[in-house]
Amino acid sequence: MKKIRNQLTVFFLVILTCFVCTQTRVDAYSKAKTKKILTIALPKSPDKNVKKAITKFNKDANVPYQIRLVTVSSAKIKVSSFDGLIVPGGKHVHPSFYHSKTICKKHIYDKKLDQFEIDLVKKFKKAKKPILGICRGAQLVNVVLGGTLKTDIGYSHYKWACRTTKTVSKTAMRKLFGTSFETLHSHHQAVKKLAKDLKVTMKDADGTIEGYQHKSLPIIGVQFHPEVMYTKKVSRKTEESGKKYLLYFFDLCSKS
Protein backbone atom coordinates (compact mmCIF):
# COMPACT_ATOMS: atom_id res chain seq x y z
CA MET A 1 0.00 0.00 0.00
CA LYS A 2 2.81 2.35 0.93
CA LYS A 3 4.55 1.53 -2.36
CA ILE A 4 1.40 2.44 -4.32
CA ARG A 5 1.11 5.76 -2.45
CA ASN A 6 4.73 6.60 -3.28
CA GLN A 7 4.16 5.77 -6.94
CA LEU A 8 1.05 7.95 -7.05
CA THR A 9 2.95 10.80 -5.39
CA VAL A 10 5.72 10.59 -7.99
CA PHE A 11 3.12 10.39 -10.77
CA PHE A 12 1.31 13.52 -9.60
CA LEU A 13 4.59 15.39 -9.14
CA VAL A 14 5.55 14.58 -12.74
CA ILE A 15 2.13 15.75 -13.97
CA LEU A 16 2.42 18.97 -11.95
CA THR A 17 5.93 19.67 -13.28
CA CYS A 18 4.78 19.14 -16.87
CA PHE A 19 1.83 21.47 -16.29
CA VAL A 20 4.02 24.24 -14.85
CA CYS A 21 6.53 23.95 -17.71
CA THR A 22 3.77 24.02 -20.31
CA GLN A 23 2.11 27.01 -18.67
CA THR A 24 5.45 28.88 -18.58
CA ARG A 25 5.92 28.29 -22.30
CA VAL A 26 2.36 29.41 -23.01
CA ASP A 27 2.84 32.57 -20.94
CA ALA A 28 6.10 33.36 -22.74
CA TYR A 29 4.44 32.76 -26.11
CA SER A 30 1.52 35.00 -25.15
CA LYS A 31 3.89 37.79 -24.11
CA ALA A 32 5.79 37.50 -27.38
CA LYS A 33 2.54 37.68 -29.36
CA THR A 34 1.39 40.83 -27.55
CA LYS A 35 4.65 42.73 -28.09
CA LYS A 36 4.45 45.66 -30.50
CA ILE A 37 6.73 45.18 -33.51
CA LEU A 38 8.90 48.17 -34.41
CA THR A 39 10.81 48.36 -37.69
CA ILE A 40 14.08 50.24 -37.25
CA ALA A 41 16.51 51.24 -40.02
CA LEU A 42 20.25 50.79 -39.45
CA PRO A 43 22.75 52.09 -42.03
CA LYS A 44 25.07 49.42 -43.37
CA SER A 45 28.44 49.92 -41.65
CA PRO A 46 31.20 47.93 -39.90
CA ASP A 47 29.56 48.56 -36.51
CA LYS A 48 28.10 45.43 -34.87
CA ASN A 49 27.22 46.78 -31.42
CA VAL A 50 23.65 47.79 -32.27
CA LYS A 51 22.86 44.38 -33.75
CA LYS A 52 24.16 42.64 -30.61
CA ALA A 53 22.01 44.87 -28.41
CA ILE A 54 18.87 44.28 -30.46
CA THR A 55 19.43 40.51 -30.42
CA LYS A 56 19.57 40.61 -26.62
CA PHE A 57 16.61 43.02 -26.43
CA ASN A 58 14.40 40.71 -28.50
CA LYS A 59 15.11 37.82 -26.12
CA ASP A 60 13.94 39.84 -23.12
CA ALA A 61 10.42 38.77 -22.16
CA ASN A 62 9.95 41.86 -19.99
CA VAL A 63 10.14 44.53 -22.72
CA PRO A 64 7.02 45.69 -24.63
CA TYR A 65 8.61 45.71 -28.09
CA GLN A 66 9.98 43.29 -30.65
CA ILE A 67 12.52 45.07 -32.84
CA ARG A 68 12.79 44.29 -36.54
CA LEU A 69 16.20 45.74 -37.40
CA VAL A 70 16.65 46.34 -41.13
CA THR A 71 20.13 47.07 -42.47
CA VAL A 72 19.86 49.57 -45.32
CA SER A 73 22.56 50.23 -47.91
CA SER A 74 20.88 53.08 -49.79
CA ALA A 75 19.12 56.29 -48.81
CA LYS A 76 16.54 55.55 -51.49
CA ILE A 77 14.14 53.84 -49.12
CA LYS A 78 10.50 54.31 -48.25
CA VAL A 79 10.78 56.05 -44.87
CA SER A 80 7.10 55.44 -44.11
CA SER A 81 7.93 51.71 -43.81
CA PHE A 82 10.09 52.41 -40.75
CA ASP A 83 9.37 53.48 -37.18
CA GLY A 84 12.79 54.99 -36.59
CA LEU A 85 16.47 55.26 -37.53
CA ILE A 86 19.59 54.42 -35.49
CA VAL A 87 22.87 55.98 -36.66
CA PRO A 88 25.61 53.92 -34.95
CA GLY A 89 29.17 54.59 -33.84
CA GLY A 90 32.14 54.14 -36.15
CA LYS A 91 34.67 56.17 -38.11
CA HIS A 92 35.15 59.90 -37.65
CA VAL A 93 32.95 62.37 -39.52
CA HIS A 94 35.02 64.12 -42.20
CA PRO A 95 35.70 67.78 -41.22
CA SER A 96 34.61 69.05 -44.65
CA PHE A 97 30.98 68.32 -43.71
CA TYR A 98 31.12 70.90 -40.92
CA HIS A 99 33.29 73.39 -42.85
CA SER A 100 36.56 72.67 -41.05
CA LYS A 101 39.96 72.36 -42.69
CA THR A 102 41.51 70.52 -39.75
CA ILE A 103 42.32 67.02 -40.97
CA CYS A 104 43.86 64.57 -38.48
CA LYS A 105 46.10 62.05 -40.24
CA LYS A 106 45.67 59.53 -37.43
CA HIS A 107 41.89 59.50 -37.90
CA ILE A 108 40.07 57.16 -40.28
CA TYR A 109 37.49 58.83 -42.53
CA ASP A 110 34.90 57.52 -44.97
CA LYS A 111 33.22 60.37 -46.84
CA LYS A 112 31.02 57.98 -48.81
CA LEU A 113 29.59 56.54 -45.57
CA ASP A 114 29.22 60.07 -44.16
CA GLN A 115 27.19 61.22 -47.16
CA PHE A 116 25.02 58.11 -47.11
CA GLU A 117 24.14 58.55 -43.44
CA ILE A 118 23.63 62.30 -43.88
CA ASP A 119 21.09 61.61 -46.64
CA LEU A 120 19.29 59.09 -44.39
CA VAL A 121 19.12 61.52 -41.47
CA LYS A 122 17.71 64.22 -43.73
CA LYS A 123 14.99 61.89 -45.03
CA PHE A 124 13.92 60.70 -41.58
CA LYS A 125 14.01 64.25 -40.21
CA LYS A 126 11.82 65.49 -43.07
CA ALA A 127 9.33 62.71 -42.29
CA LYS A 128 9.50 63.63 -38.56
CA LYS A 129 10.52 60.07 -37.72
CA PRO A 130 12.52 59.27 -34.54
CA ILE A 131 16.31 59.28 -34.92
CA LEU A 132 18.90 58.02 -32.43
CA GLY A 133 22.54 58.97 -32.94
CA ILE A 134 25.15 57.00 -30.98
CA CYS A 135 28.71 58.36 -30.58
CA ARG A 136 29.75 59.09 -34.21
CA GLY A 137 26.04 58.95 -35.05
CA ALA A 138 25.28 61.71 -32.53
CA GLN A 139 28.11 63.80 -33.97
CA LEU A 140 26.85 63.28 -37.51
CA VAL A 141 23.23 64.19 -36.65
CA ASN A 142 24.49 67.38 -35.00
CA VAL A 143 26.45 68.22 -38.16
CA VAL A 144 23.41 67.57 -40.39
CA LEU A 145 21.39 70.02 -38.28
CA GLY A 146 24.05 72.74 -38.52
CA GLY A 147 26.40 72.03 -35.61
CA THR A 148 30.17 71.52 -35.56
CA LEU A 149 32.61 69.10 -33.93
CA LYS A 150 35.84 69.17 -31.97
CA THR A 151 38.06 67.41 -34.50
CA ASP A 152 40.29 65.78 -31.89
CA ILE A 153 39.85 65.76 -28.10
CA GLY A 154 42.87 63.54 -27.48
CA TYR A 155 42.84 60.25 -25.64
CA SER A 156 40.99 61.26 -22.45
CA HIS A 157 37.77 59.65 -23.72
CA TYR A 158 39.22 57.15 -26.20
CA LYS A 159 39.82 53.97 -24.20
CA TRP A 160 36.69 52.04 -23.22
CA ALA A 161 35.96 53.26 -19.72
CA CYS A 162 33.08 54.23 -17.46
CA ARG A 163 32.62 57.92 -16.69
CA THR A 164 30.06 59.82 -14.66
CA THR A 165 27.51 61.60 -16.82
CA LYS A 166 25.42 64.41 -15.35
CA THR A 167 21.87 65.03 -16.54
CA VAL A 168 20.41 68.49 -17.13
CA SER A 169 17.49 69.50 -14.95
CA LYS A 170 13.98 69.65 -16.44
CA THR A 171 14.84 67.14 -19.18
CA ALA A 172 13.63 63.61 -19.87
CA MET A 173 17.10 62.33 -18.97
CA ARG A 174 16.85 63.78 -15.45
CA LYS A 175 13.56 61.92 -14.97
CA LEU A 176 15.06 58.73 -16.40
CA PHE A 177 18.43 58.64 -14.63
CA GLY A 178 18.35 61.15 -11.79
CA THR A 179 21.15 63.71 -11.43
CA SER A 180 23.95 61.42 -12.68
CA PHE A 181 24.82 57.87 -13.75
CA GLU A 182 27.74 55.83 -15.09
CA THR A 183 28.20 55.59 -18.86
CA LEU A 184 30.62 53.76 -21.18
CA HIS A 185 32.77 55.77 -23.60
CA SER A 186 35.23 55.48 -26.46
CA HIS A 187 35.64 58.48 -28.79
CA HIS A 188 38.16 60.93 -30.27
CA GLN A 189 35.71 63.62 -31.34
CA ALA A 190 32.88 65.47 -29.62
CA VAL A 191 30.24 68.12 -30.24
CA LYS A 192 31.70 71.62 -30.35
CA LYS A 193 28.84 73.88 -31.42
CA LEU A 194 25.44 72.32 -30.83
CA ALA A 195 22.92 72.83 -33.66
CA LYS A 196 20.41 75.59 -32.81
CA ASP A 197 17.42 73.22 -32.87
CA LEU A 198 19.03 70.90 -30.32
CA LYS A 199 19.31 71.25 -26.54
CA VAL A 200 21.75 69.61 -24.13
CA THR A 201 20.36 66.87 -21.89
CA MET A 202 23.60 65.39 -20.47
CA LYS A 203 27.18 66.48 -19.85
CA ASP A 204 30.46 64.96 -18.70
CA ALA A 205 32.29 66.42 -15.68
CA ASP A 206 34.74 68.09 -18.08
CA GLY A 207 31.91 69.83 -19.96
CA THR A 208 31.74 67.45 -22.94
CA ILE A 209 28.19 67.25 -24.31
CA GLU A 210 27.07 63.66 -23.69
CA GLY A 211 23.46 63.89 -24.83
CA TYR A 212 20.98 66.10 -26.64
CA GLN A 213 17.44 66.17 -27.93
CA HIS A 214 15.67 68.13 -30.63
CA LYS A 215 13.47 70.98 -29.42
CA SER A 216 10.43 69.83 -31.38
CA LEU A 217 11.19 66.55 -33.19
CA PRO A 218 11.85 63.00 -31.84
CA ILE A 219 15.59 63.24 -32.47
CA ILE A 220 18.06 62.29 -29.72
CA GLY A 221 21.78 61.64 -29.52
CA VAL A 222 24.33 60.34 -27.03
CA GLN A 223 28.13 60.50 -27.04
CA PHE A 224 28.39 57.36 -24.90
CA HIS A 225 27.35 53.83 -25.93
CA PRO A 226 24.05 52.61 -24.41
CA GLU A 227 24.02 49.58 -26.72
CA VAL A 228 27.43 48.42 -25.43
CA MET A 229 26.45 49.18 -21.82
CA TYR A 230 23.48 46.86 -22.33
CA THR A 231 25.52 43.94 -23.72
CA LYS A 232 29.01 44.25 -22.23
CA LYS A 233 27.91 43.66 -18.61
CA VAL A 234 30.39 46.05 -17.02
CA SER A 235 28.00 46.22 -14.09
CA ARG A 236 24.33 45.59 -13.40
CA LYS A 237 23.73 49.35 -13.16
CA THR A 238 25.31 50.19 -16.52
CA GLU A 239 23.44 47.30 -18.14
CA GLU A 240 20.12 48.62 -16.79
CA SER A 241 20.99 52.19 -17.83
CA GLY A 242 21.79 51.07 -21.37
CA LYS A 243 18.49 49.21 -21.55
CA LYS A 244 16.60 52.22 -20.17
CA TYR A 245 17.99 54.52 -22.84
CA LEU A 246 17.20 52.11 -25.67
CA LEU A 247 13.67 51.69 -24.29
CA TYR A 248 13.29 55.48 -24.21
CA PHE A 249 14.09 55.63 -27.93
CA PHE A 250 11.77 52.75 -28.78
CA ASP A 251 8.98 54.49 -26.85
CA LEU A 252 9.47 57.46 -29.20
CA CYS A 253 9.35 55.09 -32.18
CA SER A 254 6.12 53.49 -30.96
CA LYS A 255 4.44 56.89 -31.16
CA SER A 256 5.66 57.77 -34.67
Side-chain angles (χ1 to χ4, degrees), residues 120-173:
L120 272 179
V121 170
K122 286 180 176 179
K123 288 193 77 169
F124 275 78
K125 176 181 176 288
K126 186 177 180 180
K128 298 182 179 181
K129 291 280 187 176
I131 300 171
L132 166 59
I134 299 174
C135 196
R136 161 204 156 80
Q139 296 164 9
L140 183 129
V141 171
N142 178 55
V143 167
V144 173
L145 298 181
T148 62
L149 305 178
K150 295 175 183 178
T151 308
D152 191 344
I153 62 170
Y155 287 86
S156 60
H157 291 254
Y158 182 63
K159 291 184 178 180
W160 283 107
C162 282
R163 300 173 67 92
T164 300
T165 293
K166 297 180 179 179
T167 59
V168 175
S169 61
K170 298 179 181 179
T171 64
M173 296 301 103

Coordinates of all heavy atoms in Angstrom, one line a residue, residues 120-173:
L120 N 20.3 59.8 -45.2 CA 19.3 59.1 -44.4 C 18.7 60.0 -43.3 O 17.5 60.0 -43.1 CB 19.9 57.8 -43.8 CG 19.9 56.5 -44.6 CD1 20.6 55.5 -43.8 CD2 18.5 56.1 -45.0
V121 N 19.6 60.6 -42.6 CA 19.1 61.5 -41.5 C 18.2 62.6 -42.0 O 17.1 62.9 -41.4 CB 20.3 62.2 -40.7 CG1 19.9 63.3 -39.8 CG2 21.1 61.1 -40.0
K122 N 18.5 63.2 -43.1 CA 17.7 64.2 -43.7 C 16.3 63.7 -44.1 O 15.3 64.4 -43.9 CB 18.4 64.8 -45.0 CG 19.6 65.7 -44.7 CD 20.2 66.2 -45.9 CE 21.3 67.2 -45.6 NZ 22.0 67.7 -46.9
K123 N 16.3 62.5 -44.6 CA 15.0 61.9 -45.0 C 14.1 61.6 -43.8 O 12.9 61.9 -43.8 CB 15.2 60.6 -45.8 CG 15.7 60.8 -47.2 CD 15.6 59.6 -48.1 CE 14.2 59.3 -48.6 NZ 14.2 58.3 -49.6
F124 N 14.7 61.0 -42.8 CA 13.9 60.7 -41.6 C 13.5 62.0 -40.8 O 12.4 62.0 -40.3 CB 14.7 59.8 -40.7 CG 14.6 58.3 -41.0 CD1 15.3 57.8 -42.1 CD2 13.8 57.5 -40.3 CE1 15.2 56.4 -42.4 CE2 13.6 56.1 -40.6 CZ 14.3 55.6 -41.7
K125 N 14.4 63.0 -40.8 CA 14.0 64.3 -40.2 C 12.8 64.9 -40.9 O 11.9 65.4 -40.3 CB 15.2 65.2 -40.2 CG 14.9 66.6 -39.7 CD 16.1 67.5 -39.7 CE 15.8 68.9 -39.2 NZ 15.0 69.6 -40.2
K126 N 12.9 64.9 -42.3 CA 11.8 65.5 -43.1 C 10.5 64.8 -42.8 O 9.4 65.4 -42.8 CB 12.2 65.4 -44.6 CG 11.2 66.1 -45.5 CD 11.6 66.0 -46.9 CE 10.6 66.8 -47.8 NZ 11.0 66.7 -49.3
A127 N 10.5 63.5 -42.6 CA 9.3 62.7 -42.3 C 8.9 62.8 -40.8 O 7.9 62.2 -40.4 CB 9.5 61.3 -42.7
K128 N 9.7 63.5 -40.0 CA 9.5 63.6 -38.6 C 9.5 62.3 -37.8 O 8.7 62.0 -36.9 CB 8.2 64.4 -38.3 CG 8.2 65.8 -38.9 CD 6.9 66.5 -38.5 CE 6.9 67.9 -39.1 NZ 5.7 68.7 -38.8
K129 N 10.4 61.4 -38.3 CA 10.5 60.1 -37.7 C 11.6 60.1 -36.6 O 12.6 60.9 -36.8 CB 10.9 59.0 -38.8 CG 9.8 58.7 -39.8 CD 8.8 57.7 -39.2 CE 7.8 57.3 -40.2 NZ 6.9 56.3 -39.7
P130 N 11.5 59.3 -35.6 CA 12.5 59.3 -34.5 C 13.9 58.9 -35.1 O 14.0 58.0 -35.9 CB 12.0 58.2 -33.6 CG 10.5 58.2 -33.8 CD 10.3 58.4 -35.3
I131 N 14.9 59.6 -34.6 CA 16.3 59.3 -34.9 C 17.1 59.2 -33.6 O 17.0 60.1 -32.8 CB 16.9 60.4 -35.8 CG1 16.1 60.5 -37.1 CG2 18.4 60.1 -36.1 CD1 16.5 61.7 -38.0
L132 N 18.0 58.2 -33.5 CA 18.9 58.0 -32.4 C 20.3 58.0 -33.0 O 20.6 57.2 -33.8 CB 18.6 56.7 -31.6 CG 19.7 56.3 -30.7 CD1 20.0 57.3 -29.6 CD2 19.4 54.9 -30.0
G133 N 21.1 58.9 -32.6 CA 22.5 59.0 -32.9 C 23.4 58.5 -31.8 O 23.2 59.0 -30.7
I134 N 24.3 57.5 -32.0 CA 25.1 57.0 -31.0 C 26.6 57.3 -31.3 O 27.1 56.9 -32.4 CB 25.0 55.5 -30.8 CG1 23.5 55.1 -30.4 CG2 26.0 54.9 -29.8 CD1 23.3 53.6 -30.4
C135 N 27.3 58.0 -30.4 CA 28.7 58.4 -30.6 C 28.9 59.1 -31.9 O 28.5 60.2 -32.1 CB 29.6 57.1 -30.5 SG 31.3 57.5 -30.2
R136 N 29.6 58.5 -32.9 CA 29.8 59.1 -34.2 C 28.4 59.5 -34.8 O 28.3 60.6 -35.4 CB 30.4 58.1 -35.2 CG 30.2 58.5 -36.7 CD 30.4 57.3 -37.6 NE 29.7 57.4 -38.8 CZ 30.2 58.1 -39.8 NH1 31.3 58.7 -39.8 NH2 29.4 58.2 -40.9
G137 N 27.4 58.7 -34.5 CA 26.0 59.0 -35.1 C 25.5 60.2 -34.5 O 24.9 61.0 -35.2
A138 N 25.7 60.5 -33.2 CA 25.3 61.7 -32.5 C 26.0 62.9 -33.1 O 25.4 64.0 -33.3 CB 25.5 61.6 -31.0
Q139 N 27.3 62.7 -33.4 CA 28.1 63.8 -34.0 C 27.6 64.1 -35.4 O 27.4 65.3 -35.7 CB 29.6 63.4 -34.0 CG 30.2 63.1 -32.7 CD 31.5 62.3 -32.7 OE1 32.0 62.1 -33.8 NE2 32.0 61.9 -31.6
L140 N 27.3 63.1 -36.1 CA 26.8 63.3 -37.5 C 25.5 64.0 -37.6 O 25.3 64.9 -38.4 CB 26.8 61.9 -38.2 CG 26.4 62.0 -39.7 CD1 27.4 61.3 -40.6 CD2 25.0 61.5 -40.0
V141 N 24.6 63.6 -36.7 CA 23.2 64.2 -36.6 C 23.4 65.7 -36.3 O 22.7 66.5 -36.9 CB 22.3 63.5 -35.6 CG1 21.0 64.3 -35.4 CG2 22.0 62.1 -36.1
N142 N 24.2 66.0 -35.4 CA 24.5 67.4 -35.0 C 25.0 68.2 -36.2 O 24.6 69.3 -36.4 CB 25.5 67.4 -33.9 CG 25.9 68.9 -33.4 OD1 25.0 69.7 -33.1 ND2 27.1 69.2 -33.5
V143 N 25.9 67.6 -37.0 CA 26.4 68.2 -38.2 C 25.4 68.5 -39.2 O 25.3 69.5 -39.8 CB 27.6 67.4 -38.8 CG1 28.0 67.9 -40.2 CG2 28.8 67.4 -37.9
V144 N 24.5 67.4 -39.4 CA 23.4 67.6 -40.4 C 22.5 68.7 -40.0 O 22.0 69.5 -40.9 CB 22.6 66.3 -40.5 CG1 21.3 66.5 -41.3 CG2 23.4 65.1 -41.0
L145 N 22.3 69.0 -38.7 CA 21.4 70.0 -38.3 C 22.1 71.4 -38.2 O 21.4 72.4 -37.7 CB 20.8 69.6 -36.9 CG 19.9 68.4 -37.0 CD1 19.3 68.1 -35.6 CD2 18.8 68.5 -38.0
G146 N 23.4 71.4 -38.5 CA 24.0 72.7 -38.5 C 25.1 72.9 -37.4 O 25.7 74.0 -37.3
G147 N 25.4 71.9 -36.7 CA 26.4 72.0 -35.6 C 27.8 71.7 -36.1 O 28.0 71.3 -37.3
T148 N 28.8 71.8 -35.2 CA 30.2 71.5 -35.6 C 30.8 70.6 -34.5 O 30.1 70.3 -33.5 CB 31.0 72.8 -35.6 OG1 31.0 73.4 -34.3 CG2 30.5 73.8 -36.6
L149 N 32.0 70.1 -34.8 CA 32.6 69.1 -33.9 C 34.0 69.5 -33.5 O 34.7 70.3 -34.2 CB 32.7 67.7 -34.6 CG 31.5 67.1 -35.2 CD1 31.8 65.8 -35.9 CD2 30.4 66.9 -34.1
K150 N 34.4 69.1 -32.4 CA 35.8 69.2 -32.0 C 36.5 68.0 -32.7 O 36.3 66.9 -32.5 CB 36.0 69.0 -30.5 CG 35.3 70.1 -29.6 CD 35.4 69.8 -28.2 CE 34.6 70.8 -27.3 NZ 34.7 70.5 -25.9
T151 N 37.4 68.4 -33.6 CA 38.1 67.4 -34.5 C 38.8 66.3 -33.7 O 38.8 65.2 -34.1 CB 39.0 68.1 -35.5 OG1 38.3 69.1 -36.2 CG2 39.5 67.1 -36.6
D152 N 39.5 66.7 -32.7 CA 40.3 65.8 -31.9 C 40.4 66.2 -30.4 O 40.9 67.3 -30.1 CB 41.7 65.7 -32.5 CG 42.5 64.5 -31.9 OD1 42.1 64.0 -30.8 OD2 43.5 64.1 -32.5
I153 N 39.8 65.4 -29.5 CA 39.8 65.8 -28.1 C 40.9 65.0 -27.4 O 40.9 64.9 -26.1 CB 38.5 65.5 -27.4 CG1 38.1 64.0 -27.5 CG2 37.4 66.4 -28.1 CD1 36.8 63.7 -26.7
G154 N 41.8 64.3 -28.1 CA 42.9 63.5 -27.5 C 42.4 62.2 -27.0 O 41.4 61.6 -27.5
Y155 N 43.1 61.6 -26.1 CA 42.8 60.2 -25.6 C 42.1 60.1 -24.3 O 41.9 59.0 -23.8 CB 44.2 59.5 -25.6 CG 44.7 59.2 -26.9 CD1 45.5 60.1 -27.6 CD2 44.4 58.0 -27.6 CE1 46.1 59.8 -28.8 CE2 44.9 57.7 -28.8 CZ 45.8 58.6 -29.4 OH 46.3 58.3 -30.7
S156 N 41.7 61.3 -23.8 CA 41.0 61.3 -22.5 C 39.7 60.5 -22.5 O 39.3 59.9 -21.4 CB 40.7 62.7 -22.0 OG 39.9 63.4 -22.9
H157 N 39.0 60.4 -23.6 CA 37.8 59.7 -23.7 C 37.9 58.4 -24.6 O 36.9 57.8 -24.9 CB 36.7 60.6 -24.3 CG 36.3 61.7 -23.4 ND1 35.1 61.7 -22.7 CD2 36.9 62.8 -23.0 CE1 35.0 62.7 -21.9 NE2 36.1 63.5 -22.1
Y158 N 39.1 58.1 -25.1 CA 39.2 57.2 -26.2 C 39.1 55.7 -25.7 O 38.4 54.9 -26.3 CB 40.5 57.4 -27.0 CG 40.7 56.4 -28.1 CD1 39.8 56.4 -29.2 CD2 41.7 55.5 -28.1 CE1 40.0 55.6 -30.2 CE2 41.9 54.6 -29.2 CZ 41.0 54.6 -30.2 OH 41.2 53.8 -31.3
K159 N 39.8 55.4 -24.7 CA 39.8 54.0 -24.2 C 38.5 53.7 -23.6 O 37.9 54.5 -22.8 CB 40.9 53.7 -23.2 CG 42.3 53.8 -23.8 CD 43.4 53.4 -22.8 CE 44.8 53.5 -23.4 NZ 45.8 53.1 -22.4
W160 N 38.0 52.4 -23.8 CA 36.7 52.0 -23.2 C 36.8 52.2 -21.7 O 37.6 51.5 -21.1 CB 36.4 50.6 -23.6 CG 35.8 50.4 -25.0 CD1 36.5 49.9 -26.0 CD2 34.6 50.8 -25.5 NE1 35.7 49.9 -27.2 CE2 34.5 50.4 -26.9 CE3 33.4 51.4 -24.9 CZ2 33.4 50.6 -27.7 CZ3 32.3 51.6 -25.7 CH2 32.3 51.2 -27.1
A161 N 35.9 53.0 -21.2 CA 36.0 53.3 -19.7 C 34.6 53.9 -19.3 O 33.9 54.5 -20.1 CB 37.1 54.2 -19.3
C162 N 34.3 53.6 -18.0 CA 33.1 54.2 -17.5 C 33.4 55.6 -16.9 O 34.4 55.8 -16.3 CB 32.5 53.4 -16.3 SG 31.6 51.9 -16.9
R163 N 32.5 56.5 -17.2 CA 32.6 57.9 -16.7 C 31.3 58.4 -16.1 O 30.2 57.8 -16.5 CB 33.1 58.9 -17.8 CG 34.4 58.5 -18.4 CD 34.7 59.4 -19.6 NE 34.9 60.8 -19.3 CZ 36.1 61.3 -19.0 NH1 37.2 60.6 -19.1 NH2 36.2 62.6 -18.7
T164 N 31.3 59.3 -15.2 CA 30.1 59.8 -14.7 C 29.5 60.9 -15.6 O 30.1 61.9 -15.9 CB 30.3 60.4 -13.3 OG1 30.8 59.4 -12.4 CG2 29.0 60.9 -12.7
T165 N 28.2 60.7 -16.0 CA 27.5 61.6 -16.8 C 26.4 62.3 -16.0 O 25.7 61.7 -15.3 CB 26.9 60.9 -18.0 OG1 27.9 60.4 -18.9 CG2 26.0 61.8 -18.8
K166 N 26.4 63.6 -16.1 CA 25.4 64.4 -15.4 C 24.3 64.8 -16.3 O 24.5 65.2 -17.4 CB 26.1 65.7 -14.8 CG 27.2 65.4 -13.8 CD 27.8 66.6 -13.2 CE 28.9 66.3 -12.2 NZ 29.5 67.6 -11.7
T167 N 23.1 64.7 -15.8 CA 21.9 65.0 -16.5 C 21.5 66.5 -16.3 O 21.8 67.0 -15.2 CB 20.7 64.1 -16.2 OG1 20.4 64.3 -14.8 CG2 21.0 62.7 -16.5
V168 N 20.9 67.1 -17.3 CA 20.4 68.5 -17.1 C 19.0 68.5 -16.5 O 18.2 67.7 -16.9 CB 20.4 69.2 -18.5 CG1 19.9 70.6 -18.4 CG2 21.8 69.2 -19.1
S169 N 18.8 69.4 -15.6 CA 17.5 69.5 -14.9 C 16.4 69.8 -15.9 O 16.6 70.5 -17.0 CB 17.5 70.6 -13.8 OG 17.8 71.8 -14.4
K170 N 15.2 69.4 -15.6 CA 14.0 69.6 -16.4 C 14.1 69.0 -17.8 O 13.6 69.6 -18.8 CB 13.7 71.1 -16.5 CG 13.4 71.8 -15.2 CD 13.1 73.3 -15.3 CE 12.8 73.9 -14.0 NZ 12.6 75.4 -14.1
T171 N 14.8 67.9 -17.9 CA 14.8 67.1 -19.2 C 14.4 65.7 -18.9 O 14.3 65.2 -17.8 CB 16.3 67.1 -19.7 OG1 17.1 66.3 -18.8 CG2 16.9 68.5 -20.0
A172 N 14.1 65.0 -20.0 CA 13.6 63.6 -19.9 C 14.7 62.7 -19.3 O 14.4 61.8 -18.5 CB 13.2 63.1 -21.2
M173 N 16.0 63.1 -19.5 CA 17.1 62.3 -19.0 C 17.2 62.4 -17.4 O 17.6 61.5 -16.8 CB 18.4 62.7 -19.6 CG 18.5 62.5 -21.1 SD 18.3 60.7 -21.5 CE 16.6 60.7 -22.1

